[in-house]
Amino acid sequence: MTAASKPAQQPPVDNSYWVIVPAAGSGKRMGADKPKQYLPLLGQPLIAHTLQNILSWPGLAGIVVAIAANDRDFATLVEAANPRVHTVTGGAERADSVLAALDYLSTQAAPETSVLVHDAARPLVSVDDIRALAAADPMALLAQPASDTVKRAAQSGDKSCVTETLPREQIWLAQTPQKAPLETLRQCLQQGLKANPTAITDEASALELAGFKPQLVPACRSNFKVTHPADLVLAEALLQHRQQSGAQSGIQQ
Ligand code: C5P
């Protein structure tokens, strides 16, 4: 067989990535009678959509979901029976839940394993965005460049007043997934939580505190975090649109 007649070689799929899904929050801002990750979205619990999107990504080795100690809902999900889905008990804050999952993962995977941390409350994450993040620097996060004018504010009595307009082109809104090597992220989170726990609001902030500069990867606008009741209405409309159009990807910016 000549080189020209050989069938084209497909590069092997790298399916060595682990995903951590913190899902141990109570979702107080939603004001619902159950945590937001279990609220119905197009007839399924919100977290089921999140897990289905991640499970459909060919790069996946496994998922570790951090759930609350008193969680009675997770075990009822179809996805809970998937052999690639593992669970751990989460902690008081999101960072504690992520750290619990990293501690478990360090008994299952090599220290340099690439880990993506993704909020259970972002059900519209697209496989295209996950792929773009996987292809970026070893430390990277999905994020949205600011589209509004951004103001710094200070409290003045019972009002908030503008003190400054920030240069918008330098402002990005962090989303998830956020990616880093397993052991580096674990150590940065442990050290960050000791040094300045209130500053650790995502994985990137722990990496930044240790001097790293994670890459920002532009994400689809539809990858928002369901936080307030209106977000649930929007998420349902976008999912319906995605199902009707048969699209796997998110709504572009
Ligand atoms: O509350 P917030 O929307 O910032 O939570 C982001 C994600 O972190 C959610 O998926 C939530 O379930 C999770 N979380 C957690 N453990 C906590 C608090 C939040 O896993 N203690």
Side-chain angles (χ1 to χ4, degrees):
M1 189 185 273
T2 63
S5 64
K6 270 189 190 163
Q9 292 270 314
Q10 292 292 328
V13 175
D14 177 5
N15 61 349
S16 63
Y17 295 87
W18 278 81
V19 177
I20 286 175
V21 176
S26 57
K28 280 194 209 92
R29 286 171 291 183
M30 187 59 80
D33 57 357
K34 57 165 73 180
K36 61 186 174 185
Q37 56 271 27
Y38 296 115
L39 293 176
L41 197 58
L42 282 193
Q44 294 189 69
L46 187 152
I47 190 174
H49 294 278
T50 312
L51 295 176
Q52 285 160 18
N53 283 334
I54 298 168
L55 284 164
S56 69
W57 173 44
L60 184 74
I63 305 179
V64 184
V65 187
I67 57 175
N70 61 354
D71 187 303
R72 298 285 170 271
D73 295 295
F74 190 80
T76 67
L77 301 176
V78 173
E79 292 72 24
N82 188 306
R84 289 192 296 169
V85 176
H86 305 233
T87 54
V88 294
T89 302
E93 303 294 336
R94 183 185 177 282
D96 302 311
S97 298
V98 173
L99 196 50
L102 287 167
D103 287 344
Y104 167 78
L105 197 49
S106 65
T107 67
Q108 306 289 311
E112 63 278 9
T113 302
S114 203
V115 175
L116 277 64
V117 180
H118 182 64
D119 291 328
R122 295 183 190 269
L124 285 134
V125 65
S126 78
V127 173
D128 287 350
D129 276 357
I130 299 178
R131 269 199 198 99
L133 182 68
D137 284 357
M139 295 184 201
L141 63 149
L142 290 186
Q144 186 76 61
S147 52
D148 295 319
T149 299
V150 181
K151 308 286 186 189
R152 190 188 298 284
Q155 205 64 22
S156 168
D158 60 352
K159 295 177 290 187
S160 295
C161 293
V162 174
T163 57
E164 191 187 353
T165 297
L166 302 177
R168 181 168 62 191
E169 59 284 0
Q170 291 174 14
I171 307 287
W172 290 64
L173 307 179
Q175 299 183 344
T176 69
Q178 301 196 2
K179 182 181 74 164
L182 166 55
E183 195 49 35
T184 307
L185 179 57
R186 194 161 82 109
Q187 283 178 16
C188 289
L189 269 178
Q190 279 170 346
Q191 286 160 13
L193 284 173
K194 261 193 216 138
N196 193 353
T198 53
I200 308 301
T201 49
D202 65 356
E203 291 62 54
S205 52
L207 297 169
E208 291 154 39
L209 212 60
F212 294 109
K213 291 184 166 42
Q215 182 187 350
L216 292 158
V217 178
C220 292
R221 295 195 71 85
S222 48
N223 185 32
F224 58 86
K225 186 172 67 172
V226 173
T227 307
H228 301 286
D231 299 332
L232 210 51
V233 179
L234 190 56
E236 195 150 59
L238 289 169
L239 271 172
Q240 208 148 25
H241 168 82
R242 200 182 273 187
Q243 286 183 3
Q244 280 164 4
S245 64
Q248 271 301 303
S249 46
I251 309 286
Q252 293 303 322
Q253 14 196 355

